[in-house]
Amino acid sequence: MPNSLADHYHQGLRDQDILTQLRAHYPDGPTLHQLAPLDQLHVGGIAASARLLGLLDHSASQVLDMGAGLGGLMRQGAALGLHITGLDITHRFSALNDAISQLAAKPPAPLSSAGTLRCVTGDARALPFRDACFDAVLFQHSLMNMPAPHRVLAECRRVLRPGGQLVMHEVVSGPHCEALRFPVPWAEEPTHSHLLTLAALTQRLQTAGFDIRHCEDWSDTALEWRQRQRQKEQAAHAAVLSPQWVFGERFVQMGKNLLENLANGAINVVEISARC
């Protein structure tokens, strides 16, 4: 993946300011909900992450989060006792993810049930992991940034144990994809947007050796959520944390375009669970 994708995510990122803000406002460590405006940057926020994690088998323990970003999904999964490795091609995201996890409040739970977290910088097309080492692989608004999805899914199949799960909460091309407006959070312009149609995505999964067990269109709920978020973003008071700490002032237009893209059918949001 070209370095300019990392540049897209680096451009407005306020690494040290974010850590200073967290220490100042949350001296006992921020909770998952307090972090959500910063580290749950996908459509649906923390509730969508809960839905995604709820699709996992109870027996799943070792989990790979593909395109982990700032780690909201990872920390939410670790609070449930999962051992999660987060992979991201943007090293500053991986480093900040790890730093936030060090500051975050630890949920009250017996030590034996506590999950663990590991951040790795790497390319999804050539995963730096041995064969059959994960019980599950998660995608949350990340495949859309990845060229060569056939290679990415083949790598997922390789690192999954027999019978392992692949679970997705993804943005796909909608029926009016020609109306897609940029910039959006995952791309300044079309170069880094690799949206598939749902039909193409399911075909890619099947070709890679996955059996699709669950597929649900989540677009109506996603639109309602984004409308509520837009109202919050337009409020006059300054939030402790917001997506602007990651994207800068660009997020004002990105957020507006995201809402319009959902409303006009340029994009859809889907949940998928598959097994190898």
Side-chain angles (χ1 to χ4, degrees), residues 19-269:
L19 296 177
T20 299
Q21 183 85 335
L22 292 175
R23 294 187 184 101
H25 286 268
Y26 307 117
D28 296 325
T31 66
L32 295 178
H33 282 85
Q34 287 166 339
L35 283 169
L38 177 79
D39 67 3
Q40 301 268 0
L41 294 177
H42 47 270
V43 175
I46 202 166
S49 293
R51 285 173 58 119
L52 184 67
L53 293 166
L55 293 173
L56 291 177
D57 286 346
H58 294 303
S59 60
S61 174
Q62 298 293 332
V63 178
L64 174 61
D65 182 2
M66 297 279 280
L70 294 186
L73 179 63
M74 291 178 64
R75 285 181 283 274
Q76 199 168 339
L80 299 176
L82 299 173
H83 302 287
I84 302 191
T85 298
L87 179 107
D88 205 282
I89 200 167
T90 306
H91 182 66
R92 281 173 62 189
F93 272 7
S94 297
L96 184 55
N97 180 356
D98 187 58
I100 292 171
S101 291
Q102 297 302 314
L103 292 177
K106 303 302 184 286
L111 185 61
S112 60
S113 67
T116 58
L117 297 167
R118 177 173 61 137
C119 297
V120 176
T121 300
D123 191 325
R125 297 170 296 184
L127 294 175
F129 310 114
R130 59 182 172 81
D131 295 356
C133 61
F134 291 104
D135 301 311
V137 174
L138 307 178
F139 286 84
Q140 189 167 48
H141 288 32
S142 53
L143 187 67
M144 60 191 184
N145 256 155
M146 299 176 182
H150 62 289
R151 289 173 57 186
V152 174
L153 295 176
E155 280 290 273
C156 291
R157 179 68 181 81
R158 179 183 65 79
V159 301
L160 277 170
R161 297 188 176 109
Q165 280 185 286
L166 184 145
V167 181
M168 292 181 158
H169 171 227
E170 273 296 326
V171 177
V172 296
S173 289
H176 302 294
C177 57
E178 73 285 351
L180 182 61
R181 299 187 181 187
F182 292 91
V184 287
W186 68 91
E188 191 82 23
E189 35 80 27
T191 304
H192 299 304
S193 183
H194 300 283
L195 297 177
L196 298 171
T197 64
L198 179 57
L201 175 55
T202 55
Q203 180 61 49
R204 294 281 191 188
L205 287 167
Q206 290 165 345
T207 300
F210 290 98
D211 177 25
I212 298 172
R213 304 292 181 87
H214 165 85
C215 183
E216 180 179 348
D217 189 300
W218 202 65
S219 302
D220 290 343
T221 303
L223 176 58
E224 292 170 3
W225 180 88
R226 184 61 209 146
Q227 288 169 334
R228 293 194 300 271
Q229 291 302 111
R230 181 68 176 163
Q231 292 174 350
K232 292 178 184 178
E233 291 158 6
Q234 292 175 323
H237 71 280
V240 174
L241 297 170
S242 82
Q244 290 194 36
W245 290 77
V246 179
F247 295 109
E249 292 300 321
R250 298 179 300 162
F251 185 75
V252 175
Q253 189 62 47
M254 288 175 173
K256 179 181 178 183
N257 288 346
L258 183 58
L259 177 58
E260 292 182 1
N261 289 333
L262 283 165
N264 66 19
I267 58 174
N268 285 341
V269 178

